[in-house]
Amino acid sequence: MAAKIRPLADKIVVKLTEEAKQTTGGIFIPDSSQESFIKAEVIAIGPGKLLDSGSRQEMEVKVGDVVLFEKYGKNSIKINNTEYILSVADLLGIIE
């Protein structure tokens, strides 16, 4: 049974989206040849970074956004083989 994680501050929890590992021509792409970034869906967000003024910085992402982050990022934590905890600052962008 997987534990439910509630992220703190500016942290988010994302779940990997399935990427095609085969080209349109039918060629399978090995993991070592794939891009160095990961596409994932945001499944939980923290309340925002606490500022010196005591207020919270508004989060730049929301639950349901599809985001990109580096595959081998130093600040990401992998759990359950499909979910990651990372900081909003570690995101490369939001896919619209």
Side-chain angles (χ1 to χ4, degrees), residues 3-19:
K4 183 174 180 179
I5 298 174
R6 183 175 47 95
L8 303 174
D10 66 338
K11 303 297 188 264
I12 63 173
V13 178
V14 297
K15 185 171 185 173
L16 301 182
T17 56
E18 289 297 320
E19 290 293 321

Side-chain angles (χ1 to χ4, degrees), residues 31-87:
D31 288 338
S32 60
S33 298
Q34 292 182 19
E35 298 290 335
S36 62
F37 58 85
I38 297 174
K39 183 168 44 168
E41 180 181 356
V42 177
I43 58 173
I45 62 171
K49 184 177 180 179
L50 187 60
L51 303 174
D52 291 336
S53 66
S55 62
R56 295 231 178 236
Q57 182 177 11
E58 186 177 331
M59 294 293 279
E60 296 181 71
V61 297
K62 61 185 181 306
V63 173
D65 282 348
V66 177
V67 297
L68 290 175
F69 65 99
E70 291 185 48
K71 187 180 233 179
Y72 302 108
K74 62 181 178 179
N75 295 321
S76 62
I77 300 169
K78 188 173 184 179
I79 46 178
N80 299 332
N81 290 327
T82 60
E83 295 178 358
Y84 287 79
I85 300 173
L86 49 125
S87 175

